[in-house]
Amino acid sequence: MQNQFNAALFKQSDELVNDIKGHSTEERIQRLNVYRNNVHVSLQTALGDIFPVCKQLVGEDFFNAMAHEYIEQNRPTSPILSEYGGNFSDFIANFPPAQALPYLSSLCELEYRLLQLTNTAEPKTLSLEAAQQTLSQVQHPEALALHLNAQCQLMHSPFSVGALYLAHQQPEPNLKGLQISAPEYLLLTKAGLYGCCYPLSEAEYHFINALKQNPNLSHALPDDDGFDLGQTLARLMTWQVFDDINES
Amino acid sequence: MTRLAFSQTEGKTLPSGFAQCTGVSLKPSYYQQILAELPKVGFFEIHAENYLSAGGPARYYLEQVRNHYDLTVHGVGLSLGGDETLDLEHLERVAKLVEWTNPAVFSEHLAWSTHQQYFLNDLLPVPYTEARLDLLCQHVDQVQSRLNRQILIENPSTYFEFQSSVLCETQFIAELVQRTGCGLLLDVNNVEVSCFNHQRSPCEYLQSYPMHAVKQIHLAGYTLDEQASLKIDSHDQAVANEVWQLYQHTLELIGDCPTLIERDGNFPDLSELLTEARHADHLRTLVKEQSHAEPV
């Protein structure tokens, strides 16, 4: 029964229609169409909730048409719908009607990763005060180890999707001055209950990437004259991305 | 063994909020208002699948709400009516949520939603056959054993009936209750929707429904399809007048029963749901007064 039903939902076969009560084939199909519509509309709605900025940017009609195509090829594999859409950004990258907006795929990757961060457990973090106190007592700076929490992630995009995303967190997005084609480095983490992103310089991005490999500060310092360690540490402490700072 | 164990939950004392006052669906847009105002509501109902994350606002606010109210957990993803074995990983996650929240009841659907590894996100109908009943009973037994509690099964809204069905819906549900010891969640809106769609009498449906097993009632709103020939269980409108009438009739048949105002879309101000809950409470009070007034 399920094979027939599933095939009928996605219009691969009408075999199920024979098992539907009705006065005419038209009536049977009308009844079946309620389920076809329910499945597509509910999944389109779910994708709209997962990618709200993308939906806002392209408009409801375009988004739903794109989502419809995606759903045909990629059904959810879990009843937890907030996990749906993991490859939506890859799909968009290869979806011809979306090519006029080359940043859309990257934006969707950002939205998806932030939602998944939101749904992770709240990380153990050092408060700004605790981090400041630890740093003020350091005796051997060369032995300092900066441990980033597990939720701390990096993203490099050829487009300014972080700025675009942040602008759309305001009731009236202000896109004036936003250069979407400028490449962007982002730190993704969790602030309170929600996933959030912060723009980084390229040197900061490489510094944090190195810290993720090896928390020893002396190994992570980038060979970049423009890198300001004090300023970067102050930002990272404010964003509460460390779960421990110690002298290893 | 399972059936006997769960039939013994009959008569178990229910949490007072759940038993006495009508509840409403818990939705993110209401979290802050609920916690700020602590409205008089019997309980809040959650969809299990929206609260399985390890953290984030859903889990945080659920914990806050749980400190003030009884909860009920309504599963929408176990696919009990499906051909395939249950997704044990998903059952385990639901079981952990049930252990954590200790709800007044856990309910699921007489429907399927998973095919192979794919989740279709709709409550799809099953043919009422002996073979399907056997499968469904196995799945209900399995869930009751894992959750170590009686679960309630909700009657579906359906838009077509199968030629291959050999039992009517109420017979099928009555057999399910008898074989598994499960309880029932009677969705009165679903009765209205299905009976309209299949040109049956909702009162006759209720007359043949195994009312002794009903432990909770759902009330919700419906919409009409484009041709206005089918009612759609959309949960995005206020409860319709004929559903209120059918609810009143249900209460007259079974007496007072814990009730939920269910809303899943087109969310109004919380006060509108509370008004509907108060109306349900009013009807419940009337039926309680009536039963007290009847001569012994």
Side-chain angles (χ1 to χ4, degrees):
Chain A
M1 179 279 291
Q2 267 184 220
N3 282 329
Q4 280 182 9
F5 208 125
N6 186 67
L9 282 177
F10 293 95
K11 297 189 175 173
Q12 294 154 352
S13 155
D14 272 347
E15 211 179 327
L16 180 76
V17 175
N18 299 325
D19 195 17
I20 295 174
K21 286 186 185 174
H23 297 101
S24 64
T25 303
E26 190 188 17
E27 182 197 329
R28 293 183 188 105
I29 289 176
Q30 183 204 345
R31 290 173 179 274
L32 175 62
N33 281 344
V34 177
Y35 293 104
R36 285 174 168 157
N37 189 57
N38 281 354
V39 168
H40 269 99
V41 170
S42 69
L43 291 177
Q44 282 167 12
T45 304
L47 288 170
D49 290 343
I50 295 163
F51 302 101
V53 179
C54 172
K55 185 173 177 177
Q56 206 176 332
L57 280 168
V58 301
E60 190 161 348
D61 290 347
F62 186 90
F63 186 87
N64 285 341
M66 190 161 67
H68 187 93
E69 288 296 313
Y70 176 76
I71 293 161
E72 288 286 322
Q73 298 169 33
N74 303 271
R75 284 155 226 169
T77 53
S78 164
I80 304 172
L81 279 181
S82 59
E83 295 172 359
Y84 184 41
N87 60 349
F88 193 54
S89 67
D90 293 339
F91 169 83
I92 289 176
N94 296 299
F95 184 60
Q99 298 313 300
L101 303 174
Y103 54 86
L104 209 56
S105 168
S106 192
L107 172 73
C108 287
E109 179 192 338
L110 175 62
E111 288 200 273
Y112 189 79
R113 289 176 66 177
L114 290 177
L115 178 62
Q116 302 317 306
L117 273 172
T118 292
N119 289 333
T120 57
E122 280 65 54
K124 179 175 94 84
T125 58
L126 273 185
S127 68
L128 175 61
E129 296 73 23
Q132 284 172 330
Q133 192 181 1
T134 305
L135 282 182
S136 70
Q137 293 167 352
V138 166
Q139 293 182 341
H140 304 286
E142 70 285 359
L144 201 60
L146 303 167
H147 298 269
L148 295 160
N149 66 47
Q151 276 87 342
C152 182
Q153 300 177 11
L154 291 167
M155 179 170 167
H156 171 45
S157 169
F159 302 101
S160 293
V161 291
L164 184 65
Y165 172 85
L166 291 170
H168 281 81
Q169 302 315 299
Q170 306 304 319
E172 297 290 332
N174 180 4
L175 304 178
K176 209 172 171 183
L178 193 151
Q179 290 183 307
I180 191 66
S181 293
E184 201 177 46
Y185 297 90
L186 296 169
L187 173 75
L188 316 187
T189 186
K190 198 164 176 178
L193 299 172
Y194 297 92
C196 63
C197 64
Y198 300 109
L200 300 170
S201 67
E202 183 176 353
E204 286 175 325
Y205 176 91
H206 292 301
F207 171 64
I208 295 166
N209 198 27
L211 278 183
K212 285 170 74 77
Q213 316 296 324
N214 180 345
N216 194 302
L217 175 62
S218 58
H219 285 96
L221 289 171
D223 185 16
D224 184 327
D225 292 343
F227 179 71
D228 183 331
L229 177 61
Q231 191 183 55
T232 299
L233 286 181
R235 275 149 57 89
L236 293 176
M237 287 191 294
T238 305
W239 298 337
Q240 299 190 13
V241 294
F242 295 119
D243 63 15
D244 193 19
I245 297 176
N246 54 41
E247 291 177 64
S248 57
Chain B
M1 288 296 290
T2 306
R3 286 197 288 278
L4 283 175
F6 291 109
S7 63
Q8 284 168 7
T9 59
E10 297 272 346
K12 188 179 161 187
T13 309
L14 292 167
S16 60
F18 172 71
Q20 288 167 14
C21 280
T22 295
V24 300
S25 300
L26 180 63
K27 297 294 166 185
S29 54
Y30 301 139
Y31 288 154
Q32 294 186 5
Q33 191 182 352
I34 290 166
L35 292 171
E37 298 174 6
L38 297 178
K40 190 174 183 300
V41 175
F43 62 99
F44 283 99
E45 181 156 297
I46 59 166
H47 282 183
E49 283 69 15
N50 291 338
Y51 290 86
L52 297 178
S53 60
R59 196 155 176 102
Y60 171 81
Y61 283 108
L62 179 59
E63 187 156 18
Q64 307 295 311
V65 170
R66 192 181 61 137
N67 291 336
H68 299 282
Y69 295 96
D70 291 338
L71 293 177
T72 53
V73 176
H74 192 45
V76 294
L78 283 173
S79 197
L80 297 179
D83 288 343
E84 295 148 4
T85 54
L86 295 184
D87 176 347
L88 294 182
E89 192 185 331
H90 187 58
L91 175 58
E92 203 53 36
R93 285 184 294 206
V94 171
K96 293 237 162 59
L97 177 72
V98 169
E99 280 160 19
W100 177 54
T101 54
N102 190 24
V105 297
F106 174 81
S107 54
E108 250 285 354
H109 296 84
L110 171 45
W112 64 281
S113 52
T114 299
H115 178 63
Q116 296 169 348
Q117 73 270 41
Y118 299 117
F119 178 66
L120 299 168
N121 199 34
D122 195 20
L123 298 165
L124 301 164
V126 302
Y128 298 134
T129 62
E130 287 294 341
R132 183 63 44 178
L133 184 60
D134 287 345
L135 259 179
L136 178 65
C137 288
Q138 281 173 29
H139 292 159
V140 170
D141 280 343
Q142 195 176 350
V143 174
Q144 292 191 131
S145 295
R146 175 58 191 91
L147 301 186
N148 196 28
R149 58 159 69 206
Q150 182 190 47
I151 68 169
L152 310 187
I153 298 296
E154 178 180 334
N155 54 299
S157 274
T158 56
Y159 308 106
F160 67 69
E161 294 178 310
F162 289 91
Q163 299 274 15
S164 52
S165 287
V166 294
L167 298 168
C168 72
E169 186 168 293
T170 52
Q171 282 174 320
F172 189 86
I173 291 172
E175 277 292 318
L176 171 70
V177 169
Q178 198 189 349
R179 291 198 204 175
T180 65
C182 73
L184 295 175
L185 192 178
L186 175 60
D187 189 313
V188 175
N189 185 58
N190 290 358
V191 174
E192 172 61 32
V193 165
S194 292
C195 288
F196 178 89
N197 292 343
H198 309 310
Q199 296 171 14
R200 297 182 192 286
S201 153
C203 290
E204 283 175 17
Y205 181 98
L206 291 176
Q207 209 63 47
S208 61
Y209 199 76
M211 290 295 196
H212 65 279
V214 175
K215 304 285 174 63
Q216 189 188 357
I217 290 175
H218 272 183
L219 297 173
Y222 66 78
T223 47
L224 286 165
D225 74 344
E226 281 176 5
Q227 291 96 328
S229 57
L230 293 172
K231 286 185 175 175
I232 311 294
D233 180 32
S234 56
H235 294 191
D236 61 356
Q237 302 293 319
V239 178
N241 283 336
E242 61 268 43
V243 175
W244 282 119
Q245 286 166 16
L246 202 55
Y247 174 59
Q248 197 165 2
H249 178 63
T250 305
L251 293 178
E252 285 161 6
L253 290 173
I254 63 171
D256 184 32
C257 187
T259 301
L260 174 84
I261 304 296
E262 195 178 24
R263 190 74 177 233
D264 293 319
N266 187 25
F267 295 108
D269 193 278
L270 178 62
S271 64
E272 288 187 32
L273 298 188
L274 299 179
T275 301
E276 290 187 295
R278 278 195 292 273
H279 185 54
D281 283 336
H282 170 67
L283 297 176
R284 291 172 64 183
T285 303
L286 287 180
V287 86
K288 278 187 270 192
E289 286 171 357
Q290 237 169 17
S291 68
H292 287 142
E294 280 170 7
V296 181

